[in-house]
Amino acid sequence: MSGAVLSSGRASVPVWTRWLGGKRGNWLLWTPAALYLLVFFVLPLIGNARLSLTVASGPGWSFAHYAKLFGDPFYFEIIMRTLWVSLVTTLICLAIGYPTAYFLVRRAGRLAPLMIFFLIAPLLTSIIMRTFGWRVLLARKGLVSTWLLDLGVIDRPLDLLNQPVAVYLGLVHVLVPFMVLSIAPVLQVIDRGLEESARVLGANGLQTFLKVTLPLSLDGIATGAILVFMLTNGSFLTMLLLGGGTVVTLPLMIYQQFNLTQDVAFAAAMGNTLLCFALICLFLQIRLIRRRGVGR
């Protein structure tokens, strides 16, 4: 018992408590996290980078796969389409998410918890189930086509699957919550007295929103846009199951390279390109956080 406890003039402190509280304890606490990141993050990224630089003709390193990816008009168009789909999805999510966040903060009242539940509920459902749910809705004999026929809006069934509209619906359905939950906290902390002062000085509701509320909420808009853009870049199942090959982006091309052409090195180069897009988004988000004075 005396070996496990150190007696001081004030209290008896276990040896292991004193040991964990010192520099050795700090080392012991961060080592598992460092090993986890090294084994499951750093080493796979290094291996993927090396694989993307290999050549089939023999030993050595080459940037031929990257030259093909950015130099071939076909693959360069896919890169541009990936960025375009991400941009359009971000704009649609912003157009839906900002009014939703504004209503949630300023008008929802007791309905706010229920709205938050409905916003988060899609994220708690398997992406496979969500995607097949959209397939049921958008199929030629699905609910949407049947309702439109019953209402007399159309005279023959519509097949909305395997169309860009289905892809955008599936993406927006999942990504709007990220936009709303990024904007709502910023709107929550805006001083309402600034808006009231603008109204007292003669500004109407629209002018107050454009001159006061919107500029003060730009940080939330930027954060939500970065998150949605980055998540759309890596979206795969939605493109595959709802697009049916009509919207080909880099994640879908990576899947095809692995499963059809078996060109693993070229797929690795595509994966590293997507990783660069994600790192750029994270860099912009970090700069935004620092500009707001968080984490200094």
Side-chain angles (χ1 to χ4, degrees):
M1 192 70 179
S2 59
V5 177
L6 292 178
S7 179
S8 64
R10 293 173 296 178
S12 296
V13 182
V15 174
W16 63 269
T17 303
R18 293 173 58 86
W19 194 77
L20 285 178
K23 293 182 178 180
R24 292 182 179 179
N26 293 335
W27 177 83
L28 182 64
L29 291 173
W30 65 256
T31 296
L35 289 176
Y36 177 85
L37 291 175
L38 178 65
V39 174
F40 295 101
F41 185 73
V42 177
L43 292 180
L45 288 179
I46 294 175
N48 197 58
R50 292 184 59 186
L51 182 62
S52 68
L53 297 175
T54 57
V55 289
S57 57
W61 309 101
S62 173
F63 288 93
H65 296 302
Y66 294 97
K68 178 181 178 181
L69 184 59
F70 289 93
D72 190 311
F74 173 75
Y75 293 110
F76 186 75
E77 181 182 353
I78 290 176
I79 294 176
M80 293 296 102
R81 185 180 301 119
T82 302
L83 298 176
W84 173 253
V85 170
S86 299
L87 177 62
V88 172
T89 303
T90 301
L91 293 177
I92 296 174
C93 288
L94 177 59
I96 298 174
Y98 194 97
T100 304
Y102 189 90
F103 180 83
L104 176 65
V105 172
R106 301 293 179 86
R107 299 286 188 269
R110 295 181 179 179
L111 294 178
L114 184 62
M115 286 188 62
I116 294 175
F117 170 77
F118 282 119
L119 282 170
I120 298 178
L123 304 179
L124 304 178
T125 309
S126 168
I127 187 172
I128 301 293
M129 296 300 296
R130 291 196 306 262
T131 305
F132 274 100
W134 279 110
R135 291 185 64 86
V136 171
L137 289 173
L138 301 177
R140 183 175 179 82
K141 294 184 179 181
L143 294 178
V144 173
S145 184
T146 301
W147 289 340
L148 292 177
L149 282 172
D150 293 341
L151 293 174
V153 178
I154 57 176
D155 54 2
R156 58 181 180 179
L158 293 176
D159 188 3
L160 299 176
L161 284 176
N162 304 327
Q163 300 291 337
V165 62
V167 172
Y168 286 116
L169 282 173
L171 289 172
V172 170
H173 173 227
V174 147
L175 297 177
V176 158
F178 292 97
M179 184 68 73
V180 174
L181 297 177
S182 297
I183 297 174
V186 179
L187 290 174
Q188 186 74 41
V189 299
I190 293 178
D191 187 359
R192 301 292 292 273
L194 297 174
E195 298 175 346
E196 295 174 0
S197 299
R199 298 299 295 268
V200 170
L201 293 174
N204 57 33
L206 179 60
Q207 291 173 332
T208 300
F209 173 77
L210 294 177
K211 298 291 186 179
V212 179
T213 308
L214 183 60
L216 292 176
S217 61
L218 287 179
D219 286 344
I221 293 174
T223 300
I226 291 171
L227 285 175
V228 171
F229 189 90
M230 182 171 58
L231 292 172
T232 307
N233 265 335
S235 179
F236 161 69
L237 282 175
T238 302
M239 310 291 183
L240 180 65
L241 298 179
L242 294 181
T246 58
V247 181
V248 181
T249 57
L250 274 180
L252 191 57
M253 283 300 300
I254 294 172
Y255 169 80
Q256 293 175 354
Q257 293 296 319
F258 268 110
N259 291 275
L260 299 179
T261 63
Q262 301 293 319
D263 193 347
V264 180
F266 191 37
M270 293 182 180
N272 288 331
T273 302
L274 273 180
L275 176 63
C276 289
F277 292 158
L279 291 177
I280 291 172
C281 291
L282 290 175
F283 172 77
L284 293 175
Q285 188 173 17
I286 291 172
R287 289 295 300 270
L288 176 64
I289 292 174
R290 288 181 177 176
R291 185 176 67 84
R292 294 175 59 187
V294 180
R296 289 183 179 177

